[in-house]
Amino acid sequence: MLKLTLRSLRAEALRMLLSALAVVLGVAFVAGTLILNDAMTAGAYDRAGTFDRHTDAAVYAEKEHLPAALVDRIRAVDGVAAAEGELIGTGGIVGSDGRPVLGYAVLAAIPTDPALRSYDVAAGRLPDRPGEVVLDAPTVAREGFPIGAPVRIGGSGGAARPYTLVGTVDVARTTRDVGGPFIGLVGPDALAVTGMQGYGRIMVAARPGTDEEALASGLAAVAGPGATVKTRQQVLDDAVADGVRDVRQFTMALLTFAAVAVVVAGFVIANTFAIVLAQRTRRTALLRVVGATRRQVFLAAVLESAVVGVVASALGVLLGAGLAAGMGALLSRTTAPIGGEVTLAPGTVLVSMLLGVVLTVGAALLPAWHGTRVAPVAALTDAAVQPTRRAGRFRLAAGALVLVAGIAALVGAAALGQIVLVAAGGILAFFGIVLFGPVLVPALARVVGWPLRRLVGATAGLAVANAVRNPRRIAATSTALVIGIGLVSAFVVGAHSTKEGIERSVDAQVGVDFMVTGIGSDLPPALAAELAARPELGVVHEQRAAVTDAVEVRAAHPALVGRTLTVTAGDLGRFGPGTVLVHRDLAAARGWNVGAPVTVKNRTFRVAAVVDDETRPGPGDGVPEGHVLDMTDADFTALFPAERGYLAEVDPAAGVDAGRARAAIESVLTRYPTVNLMDQAAYKKMLTGTVDMVLALVTGLLGLAVVIALVGVANTLSLSVLERTRENAVLRAVGLTRGRMRVMLAVEAVLMAVVGALLGVALGAGVSASAMAMLTRLGGDFHVVLPVGQLGLILGVAAVAALLASVLPARRALARPVVEALADQ
């Protein structure tokens, strides 16, 4: 039996290669992810400690920043040779053309003591004193800055000012390489540019022979509460842990999509092996007649699947290595360089190979078992190659119950606001489709086939009849498509619903023409005042908030409050300096009414109105729901001068057109490279851009699962062609043309694909609708949006792919002469 099995594999190598395609693709996804994980993990280890080569200990801030004065006290600790404060923030560079240099810029405080410097200098030197700066070499080359020239640097601390460029550094493939510029300043300048009140950590170099534990104890005593002291090994271990944790999160996300592809491959492989075993039904019967036992036949089929699994897994690992290399090259051009070399680790190869073999063998077990159930004599008749086993009553009943339970869970999630019910409902609904598929899928195929019969005629009628002939098979084929297309549809509907909710929120909350936003940081302190001083601008309002006495105090502008607040008592027209707007819940809790005195930070205000706000998010942590009051910008600045916002709303003055207002704003912003000017459309696009990016990424990752499912369509059609060899020959003999034969098989493929796609779209849309309703119940403002065009495109792509998948089976059906096919036994 072993020799016979291996001989059969050699004789049908091409056919088995096609059968192994699903395994190759599934294993390639998993192997590529694991190989990329190995490279990124190695890169994380390499990057850890890049900027701590000479750091023997460090003092870290726990919540508040470490004050600059603490650095001098740390230097006085016994055993300390050098100490420098370090912070990591963001800044901006004014380019050689007078415009901000594009890209998120990392700004860091550079140590001035040589004992703590760990940067690789590409040209010039590191800054030694205030007023000097180093930049990354690519930015300097791109902008054409010469060493010694002034470069304007700005940030949240204020407008850009010139610093002397004294050198360039190489930060490529380090934790400070995020795809944008790098700015290095001495500590005091870094504090001034970023507007930070202190350092994130203080690095320490020890004198030779200093005891590590004694040094740590001395540093802890000086640093006091609110700071953590770490030894060199702890610093390096934490850096590695942070890097590896990020890598693992990325890897788990990829493996989630890889798991989807593997599950789809499992469905396809089961059908694929049914093709091969159906082709050998008579051969199996002959083996049984001459004495082979069912066990031998079964083990022969399992052995064959194992061999296919090994070969396909090996090809999948090689393809995965190529995918990992390509992904690594792509990431290196973005903000997430992998840092390590792409290599084939033995553990990764072993796991990938085992996965492929186990998947292939596991998927082949049931077809192999069914192949041994046919009696030897019965297998020698045509009935043996026309398996039309119907699904059992228990399976159908269970499927109906599970499907109903899934739908009920999705409806319940919307009513109860439970995310767990959304996930459970989606999973149950899918399993319900799987179990109830032998009834549901053929019924849908007949419905979808009705217009095709009207358009194409009797040929489409034959295709429909052929498609539903074996309910279990068409159900299994379509179900593989349900997984991938269902997930894609869920993300498509969810993304468009989320984007519509964001745009509606902007329309409700932002009633101005222009928005000025900080790039990765808050707005500089003087920016709003400079904008307000321009006569072309009528309204300038910086959104800010602070918490005091368990109340969130928000800055507000009298001209803008009416767009979001609903008055329950009082008059918004009385809102101005010295008055506040109290939200309804806070007024009820404190017993405040219109005209009542309200004390905020020892200053008394009068309540102008009691209001309600359904559009803006609730207060932050530690503040009861609805405990909010609004005061004018000037009053807020007087009470909370250090509070900054990330968004300023700007409207032109009366009689000033939008062009003049934009020019006025831009003339101010030239001094602030860390801010951005947008109109409402651009602001919406910025907020929804992340949704579009995630949708594109998810669609791409799930695309492989859809491709694998379409391979299943081609394999199922191949099996149908094999089983209907004589039947197709009869049709050709009585006048069915070659073109009509191709049409019949194409319609059959389209039916399988479109039915699976319809079920996937329905399932995905149902899950997204439940999720949106749940979010609305929890306080959001989301409505289900069905992007008919994109959902129709999904169905169209599935139909076109099915047409392509029918080409090879049709060619095979027409390859044999009619007389020879009629003689097939």
Side-chain angles (χ1 to χ4, degrees):
M1 291 297 293
L2 176 60
K3 291 182 179 179
L4 179 62
T5 301
L6 296 178
R7 191 174 301 164
S8 298
L9 279 171
R10 286 195 300 269
E12 300 176 349
L14 292 178
R15 187 174 300 165
M16 297 311 298
L17 182 62
L18 176 63
S19 303
L21 183 58
V23 185
V24 172
L25 294 177
V27 171
F29 200 161
V30 174
T33 300
L34 295 178
I35 293 169
L36 186 64
N37 172 73
D38 293 340
M40 295 180 71
T41 300
Y45 277 94
D46 292 341
R47 290 193 300 270
T50 301
F51 301 102
D52 286 302
R53 299 172 196 160
H54 310 298
T55 303
D56 296 312
V59 180
Y60 287 80
E62 291 182 355
K63 292 183 179 180
E64 302 295 331
H65 291 100
L66 300 174
L70 181 60
V71 177
D72 291 331
R73 298 204 302 272
I74 293 294
R75 290 178 179 140
V77 174
D78 187 35
V80 173
E84 294 277 354
E86 184 186 63
L87 63 86
I88 304 296
T90 184
I93 306 170
V94 179
S96 54
D97 60 355
R99 295 177 177 273
V101 175
L102 298 178
Y104 181 87
V106 173
L107 186 149
I110 303 287
T112 57
D113 196 312
L116 285 168
R117 285 182 163 178
S118 298
Y119 285 86
D120 295 324
V121 179
R125 60 176 175 84
L126 295 175
D128 292 325
R129 60 188 63 86
E132 297 180 341
V133 64
V134 291
L135 302 176
D136 63 291
T139 296
V140 171
R142 189 165 51 249
E143 294 295 326
F145 294 138
I147 301 295
V151 177
R152 294 170 63 199
I153 307 294
S156 294
R161 51 152 290 192
Y163 292 82
T164 302
L165 180 65
V166 297
T168 62
V169 293
D170 181 11
V171 295
R173 297 181 179 272
T174 69
T175 55
R176 292 171 194 181
D177 175 18
V178 296
F182 172 82
I183 304 168
L185 300 167
V186 298
D189 284 349
L191 290 172
V193 171
T194 60
M196 294 183 180
Q197 303 303 309
Y199 297 109
R201 71 168 182 165
I202 298 174
M203 301 181 295
V204 175
R207 292 193 180 97
T210 301
D211 180 73
E212 186 179 75
E213 294 300 327
L215 177 62
S217 299
L219 294 175
V222 172
T228 300
V229 176
K230 297 180 181 179
T231 64
R232 173 175 177 77
Q233 192 58 50
Q234 289 173 326
V235 170
L236 297 179
D237 289 345
D238 288 350
V240 169
D242 289 342
V244 171
R245 181 176 59 250
D246 293 340
V247 171
R248 286 176 178 169
Q249 291 174 348
F250 178 73
T251 301
M252 289 304 299
L254 287 182
L255 285 177
T256 300
F257 293 100
V260 174
V262 169
V263 170
V264 174
F267 278 94
V268 172
I269 295 165
N271 265 353
T272 300
F273 269 96
I275 296 173
V276 178
L277 296 177
Q279 292 172 346
R280 301 177 188 161
T281 303
R282 291 190 179 86
R283 185 189 309 174
T284 302
L286 288 173
L287 290 173
R288 294 289 311 282
V289 169
V290 298
T293 65
R294 284 183 172 179
R295 182 174 181 272
Q296 288 177 314
V297 172
F298 177 77
L299 291 179
V302 172
L303 174 62
E304 185 172 351
S305 67
V307 174
V308 172
V310 169
V311 175
S313 298
L315 293 174
V317 169
L318 294 177
L319 179 58
L323 292 174
M327 192 70 170
L330 179 63
L331 290 174
S332 296
R333 301 170 67 91
T334 65
T335 60
I338 64 174
E341 296 292 332
V342 174
T343 58
L344 285 175
T348 297
V349 174
L350 179 61
V351 169
S352 302
M353 293 289 293
L354 283 176
L355 173 66
V357 173
V358 170
L359 176 66
T360 309
V361 173
L365 289 177
L366 189 59
W369 182 81
H370 282 312
T372 64
R373 299 299 94 188
V374 181
V377 176
L380 295 175
T381 67
D382 278 346
V385 293
Q386 301 289 347
T388 56
R389 296 184 308 108
R390 297 186 177 276
R393 294 182 179 178
F394 176 78
R395 169 180 172 170
L396 296 178
L401 290 175
V402 172
L403 182 59
V404 171
I407 296 173
L410 292 175
V411 174
L416 301 176
Q418 295 292 326
I419 185 64
V420 175
L421 287 178
V422 176
I427 294 172
L428 288 174
F430 168 71
F431 280 112
I433 291 173
V434 171
L435 295 174
F436 198 62
V439 170
L440 181 62
V441 173
L444 284 176
R446 292 186 179 93
V447 173
V448 174
W450 182 82
L452 294 177
R453 288 195 299 269
R454 303 284 292 181
L455 291 173
V456 182
T459 305
L462 288 173
V464 173
N466 288 333
V468 302
R469 178 181 299 181
N470 193 320
R472 295 167 67 98
R473 186 175 301 157
I474 187 177
T477 305
S478 297
T479 298
L481 272 169
V482 170
I483 301 172
I485 291 182
L487 289 172
V488 170
S489 301
F491 279 100
V492 167
V493 175
H496 280 77
S497 301
T498 301
K499 288 173 60 178
E500 195 269 347
I502 291 173
E503 292 175 353
R504 190 168 55 252
S505 176
V506 171
D507 291 336
Q509 297 182 25
V510 179
V512 296
D513 290 347
F514 301 103
M515 277 72 65
V516 176
T517 63
I519 303 175
S521 61
D522 290 334
L523 297 174
L527 176 60
E530 287 191 38
L531 290 171
R534 294 301 301 252
E536 300 92 341
L537 306 179
V539 173
V540 176
H541 166 58
E542 181 180 358
Q543 291 187 359
R544 294 169 291 169
V547 175
T548 180
D549 190 26
V551 174
E552 182 172 284
V553 182
R554 296 174 178 173
H557 195 288
L560 301 177
V561 292
R563 71 175 188 265
T564 58
L565 301 180
T566 302
V567 178
T568 60
D571 183 5
L572 290 179
R574 297 180 180 179
F575 177 55
T579 64
V580 295
L581 302 176
V582 180
H583 289 232
R584 182 180 55 188
D585 293 341
L586 177 61
R590 301 288 177 92
W592 294 339
N593 49 33
V594 176
V598 173
T599 301
V600 181
K601 296 193 71 172
N602 300 319
R603 181 177 170 183
T604 301
F605 297 85
R606 293 286 175 180
V607 176
V610 177
V611 297
D612 199 6
D613 185 359
E614 298 293 340
T615 61
R616 294 189 61 179
D621 294 339
V623 178
E625 183 70 25
H627 282 223
V628 179
L629 63 81
D630 298 277
M631 63 177 57
T632 62
D633 288 318
D635 288 339
F636 185 93
T637 301
L639 295 182
F640 307 98
E643 293 294 335
R644 303 260 52 84
Y646 72 93
L647 172 68
E649 301 171 272
V650 183
D651 246 353
V656 177
D657 60 50
R660 285 180 57 200
R662 175 181 284 274
I665 299 171
E666 289 175 342
S667 67
V668 174
L669 298 190
T670 56
R671 299 188 295 278
Y672 296 95
T674 59
V675 297
N676 190 23
L677 171 63
M678 291 176 286
D679 56 20
Q680 277 208 29
Y683 185 56
K684 290 178 181 178
K685 187 175 181 180
M686 181 195 73
L687 295 177
T688 60
T690 302
V691 178
D692 290 330
M693 182 179 65
V694 171
L695 177 60
L697 177 63
V698 168
T699 302
L701 292 173
L702 290 173
L704 183 60
V706 178
V707 170
I708 295 173
L710 290 170
V711 170
V713 173
N715 283 333
T716 300
L717 200 58
S718 297
L719 176 58
S720 299
V721 167
L722 172 71
E723 294 176 349
R724 300 198 302 263
T725 300
R726 295 181 66 192
E727 179 182 324
N728 290 337
V730 171
L731 291 173
R732 293 171 61 193
V734 298
L736 188 68
T737 64
R738 298 172 69 88
R740 287 287 180 177
M741 175 66 72
R742 291 190 180 94
V743 170
M744 183 181 73
L745 294 175
V747 170
E748 186 175 348
V750 168
L751 283 175
M752 288 186 282
V754 170
V755 168
L758 283 172
L759 288 172
V761 168
L763 178 61
V767 171
S768 286
S770 177
M772 292 301 109
M774 180 208 68
L775 291 175
T776 300
R777 181 173 179 80
L778 294 178
D781 185 19
F782 296 95
H783 303 288
V784 179
V785 176
L786 293 177
V788 177
Q790 290 198 12
L791 295 179
L793 180 63
I794 292 174
L795 296 175
V797 169
V800 172
L803 287 174
L804 296 176
S806 71
V807 172
L808 288 178
R811 182 175 298 177
R812 179 174 181 176
L814 296 170
R816 298 178 68 181
V818 174
V819 175
E820 181 182 331
L822 286 171
D824 185 71
Q825 296 294 329

